[in-house]
Amino acid sequence: MLQQRTLKSLTRAVGVGLHSGQRVELTLRPAQPDTGIVFRRVDLPQPVDIPISATAVTDTRLASTISHGGAKVHTVEHLMSACAGLGLDNLYVDITAEEVPILDGSAASFVYLLQSAGIALQNAPKRFIRVIKPVEVREGEGKNAKWARLDPYHGYKLSFEIEFDHPAVNATGQRVEFDFGSGQYAREIARARTFGFTRDVEMMRANGLALGGGLDNAIVMDDVKVLNADGLRYSDEFVKHKILDAIGDLYLVGKPLLAAYSAYRSGHAMNNQLLRALLARPDAYEIVDFEHRSQAPQGFAEPAPAW
Ligand SMILES: [Zn+2]
């Protein structure tokens, strides 16, 4: 049987929120089979649990925000991406403020934290959402078009295309494909950092956003070039970060997808619309598990080593 996964032990991180600039402590704890991933605002007078789901996403401006009963957690996508990358099904995320710490702006710090705590196999079948009919969401026409879609695929692969007219971005790839079955998430995707432009940062700060952002947790560009002294971590780091985000946004559905995701200029809002469009079409998906590991798509029996 392909088993569910949680952590072996708890682990902690301290950082600041990208937008709030607020100091925040995160405690990642093991959870029982079939718990799913549950954020818990432990700083509130009465702690509030916020289980992940497509409909828990209530705000997608700049980052993905989930909420429940008036309590919120902003910027969950990089941590969710790391959880997807390591195949974690069950986890408690205790958090002391309303935004996940940005750490280094990628998912690599979360991957490191989760791997350091160790991954435990649980005695329950791991369940997937298998897409069996295409689902697409689309907005705008011609140059302004944006779309995202899911097609049936025995495995999970993603392709993403951006269209940023900026010299630093034009000089790198604007399209990337990644197959989850390759087992290369931690190496090829997780280290891609979020990015921003100095001209936007000033406007965002004036609006109380990006207060925790800087050169140590984002790629920052002026009108012509990257300002980070060490340059880029991947030659196509920009579009790879968009795939990292999409992996995190899509994992908010609560189970790993078996599908081919493709997107053109999509973002947090459209990724969530795609999940909602999928769930609105019960004929377009089914929940499956794998009694024998050999039935699982290649690379899925071991998304990350468990020990
Ligand atoms: Zn991001």
Side-chain angles (χ1 to χ4, degrees):
M1 166 176 86
L2 206 59
Q3 292 164 279
Q4 293 181 24
R5 295 170 159 232
T6 190
L7 289 185
K8 274 209 158 157
S9 59
L10 66 74
T11 181
R12 287 203 170 89
V14 179
V16 295
L18 173 64
H19 292 298
S20 62
Q22 245 182 338
R23 182 186 183 277
V24 51
E25 273 178 50
L26 203 62
T27 306
L28 306 168
R29 294 188 288 120
Q32 292 297 310
D34 297 319
T35 304
I37 297 177
V38 179
F39 285 75
R40 177 174 289 172
R41 282 286 304 276
V42 294
D43 55 314
L44 300 175
Q46 285 289 342
V48 177
D49 282 358
I50 312 175
I52 61 160
S53 73
T55 52
V57 177
T58 49
D59 190 350
T60 48
R61 289 167 297 175
L62 304 172
S64 289
T65 297
I66 56 171
S67 48
H68 183 75
K72 292 178 186 175
V73 179
H74 302 292
T75 321
V76 298
E77 59 271 16
H78 301 167
L79 172 58
M80 292 306 302
S81 187
C83 289
L86 298 179
L88 283 172
D89 302 284
N90 305 304
L91 185 70
Y92 285 112
V93 182
D94 294 350
I95 186 166
T96 63
E98 68 174 27
E99 189 176 11
V100 174
I102 190 64
L103 303 180
D104 75 336
S106 76
S109 308
F110 293 118
V111 167
Y112 176 77
L113 267 174
L114 295 166
Q115 280 186 321
S116 310
I119 293 165
L121 297 175
Q122 299 177 288
N123 194 20
K126 186 178 181 78
R127 294 188 189 87
F128 296 83
I129 295 180
R130 176 154 67 195
V131 173
I132 50 179
K133 286 184 185 163
V135 176
E136 183 179 278
V137 289
R138 182 175 279 277
E139 226 180 81
E141 292 295 326
K143 247 193 135 204
N144 294 319
K146 295 177 180 189
W147 53 263
R149 63 180 282 145
L150 293 167
D151 286 290
Y153 179 67
H154 187 60
Y156 186 29
K157 66 178 179 182
L158 305 101
S159 79
F160 204 107
E161 187 170 355
I162 54 175
E163 185 97 44
F164 273 106
D165 189 16
H166 183 282
V169 185
N170 287 337
T172 73
Q174 302 237 23
R175 180 167 193 278
V176 74
E177 272 188 40
F178 176 69
D179 195 319
F180 240 74
S182 66
Q184 296 297 308
Y185 171 82
R187 185 176 306 177
E188 289 296 327
I189 303 294
R191 297 175 61 243
R193 290 161 296 173
T194 193
F195 55 94
F197 303 94
T198 43
R199 58 177 137 89
D200 297 338
V201 170
E202 279 152 37
M203 197 177 69
M204 285 162 76
R205 292 230 167 115
N207 288 303
L209 294 165
L211 299 176
L215 288 164
D216 54 354
N217 56 29
I219 307 168
V220 183
M221 287 168 280
D222 65 13
D223 286 338
V224 290
K225 61 180 187 304
V226 170
L227 300 179
N228 304 62
D230 293 337
L232 299 179
R233 292 177 173 180
Y234 303 111
S235 61
D236 50 358
E237 190 170 355
F238 306 102
V239 67
K240 277 194 170 163
H241 187 79
K242 299 295 283 186
I243 284 222
L244 183 159
D245 275 344
I247 291 169
D249 287 342
L250 297 177
Y251 205 46
L252 287 167
V253 76
K255 292 181 183 62
L257 291 169
L258 295 176
Y261 164 89
S262 48
Y264 176 68
R265 298 178 61 230
S266 183
H268 303 304
M270 187 159 263
N271 290 337
N272 186 248
Q273 284 166 23
L274 182 64
L275 291 182
R276 289 175 188 243
L278 174 69
L279 297 178
R281 293 258 318 269
D283 62 319
Y285 70 93
E286 59 191 6
I287 309 293
V288 295
D289 57 46
F290 297 101
E291 199 177 326
H292 298 289
R293 296 159 65 92
S294 60
Q295 299 165 329
Q298 199 172 5
F300 276 68
E302 283 295 326
W307 64 89

